[in-house]
Amino acid sequence: MTRIPPSPPARGPAPDPPLTGEDAARSRDRARVHHARWHGRRWQLLWLLAGPGILVMMGENDGPSMIAYASDGAQYGLGFFVPLIPVLFALAYVCQEMCMRVGAVTHRGYGGLVLQRYGRAWGWFGAGDLILTNLVTLVAEFVSIRVGLAYFHLGAGVAVALGLALVVFTLSGGRYWRWERIVLGLALFNGLFLLAAILVRPHPGAVVSSLDFLPFPGGSVDTLLLLLASTVGATVTPWMIFFQQSASADKGMTAGDVRHGRYDTAAGAVLAAVFGIGALIAGAALLTHGGSGIEGFAGAGFPEALKHVAGSAAGAVFALGLIEAGAVAILTICASTAYAAGECAGVSRSFNSSPRNAAVFYAANLGVALLAAVVILIPGAPLLSIALNANVLATVLLPVSLVFMVMLANDTALMGQWVNKRSTNVIGITVIVFVGVSGAAYGIVSFLQVVHLINS
Amino acid sequence: MTADAGQGSGRGEPDPQEHADEPVGHLQRGQFVAETSRPVPRAALSTRAIAGLWALRVFVVLVSLMVIYTFIDQLR
């Protein structure tokens, strides 16, 4: 394999390449990073370099995921899931750290690199997987906002208007930094799920005693496989891979920022695990009530059920949490679609570009949100089934994206000294096998039951 | 494109305030749009790797079709 020659720094002997507005905007952001680093301002540096890692993890704590965690709690209680969620986010950290590292070292997004390095077929396959899962997931996010708003007696039209208004508002600044900070501010409200957990007043002993992975959830094989596949799909998905690598590059991160990128990703994973457990604990309050209200996408199902068991404050907080989770996920998932579209089309793909210079990027960002919004306005559309199957489909399609991620992170020509360590590869391959087996097992078993080749 | 790792950052460089008025003084060469628009060379994959990737792709498509079929069946 040919070693790709390193590029000299911008102020080196070679003449500077032609400048764009995107370069100038990114340079201004980098100037602040360099200034903080030069003056040894650690906290400012952390603040400046935080972003893609927290956003990707908070974006993955989306509406369907939080409903999935709460449903797990309502159906099975705390045991098994309280320790499982941190384990899954630890696995997610390993995958996302690779994305951040590849983006920071190569300054390129995932879709573009796969397309150029391994061929157009693989690039377009990946983009196709992404668009399919993103569309399905975005529908589920709008449904999540609708469920939250239904608690406050607001309808689907308001959910669509709110989601689309947020996308347009965040796109309007023409700066990555502005987009990132707005979404980070919104993402903080994912902590509402922790507040909901506190409001249901769980017994501390029950939480502590659930840390031994017991009792293992009972039920039929396909139910357990669906549970596993959807819980895995609630932790790592294809859009996360596209998003974090592209956002790290768009933010202007460099190999010198990898350490801070790791802090950012780890902080996101810890917060997401804590808030996910919050949703689980809130849902577990319904366990003693026969799991009532777990049909969480019917009307204001879950928040209403919680209100009857734990009071109106818990219900309202959970409903607000669902609105936040859906909103943040819409913004990050639309961004991942836009990055992939721009990279595969080989055109400008940056929040630092103007809509005129990055028409494909902005059109894909808004277009995919519009398409999903239209679906939830269709009378009689199977929204409940779409929402429940979104995570499963993401799990099934994930292994291919992960394989290319590991290949990129091991590509010496691209990564130089920043290639994966052996231990990272072992964990990465374990994640691929785990995800592949759990997704495929559900797909095959449920299909065989549907065609009556095995009994349910 | 790559391996400009660590260049232009940290205490080894001039005080950034020196270049505060220069719009691109803080970018590494690989970060310029002109550089990232340049395609990277195609990787040479072994026949076994290509076969493995296609096998995984076919498997994933088959399982996806099963999931979609099950999803449609559940709607009835």
Side-chain angles (χ1 to χ4, degrees), chain A residues 248-275:
Chain A
S248 299
D250 200 6
K251 187 177 173 69
M253 290 179 71
T254 68
D257 303 322
V258 164
R259 186 162 58 97
H260 286 83
R262 285 175 178 147
Y263 296 155
D264 174 40
T265 310
V270 170
L271 288 174
V274 169
F275 299 157

Side-chain angles (χ1 to χ4, degrees), chain B:
Chain B
M1 180 195 80
T2 68
D4 38 7
Q7 291 170 352
S9 60
R11 288 179 174 271
E13 66 172 28
D15 184 345
Q17 290 300 74
E18 259 180 53
H19 309 295
D21 55 342
E22 294 178 29
V24 293
H26 299 279
L27 291 184
Q28 295 176 2
R29 173 165 290 273
Q31 289 181 290
F32 284 96
V33 172
E35 291 288 327
T36 56
S37 302
R38 212 175 45 155
V40 296
R42 181 87 178 258
L45 295 177
S46 67
T47 310
R48 280 178 62 186
I50 293 170
L53 285 172
W54 275 109
L56 180 63
R57 165 52 63 181
V58 170
F59 178 71
V60 161
V61 168
L62 285 177
V63 176
S64 303
L65 290 175
M66 289 178 186
V67 169
I68 292 167
Y69 183 89
T70 307
F71 164 67
I72 292 169
D73 186 78
Q74 285 168 352
L75 296 181
R76 288 191 216 134

Side-chain angles (χ1 to χ4, degrees), chain A residues 153-164:
Chain A
H153 311 293
L154 297 168
V158 181
V160 166
L162 179 64
L164 292 179

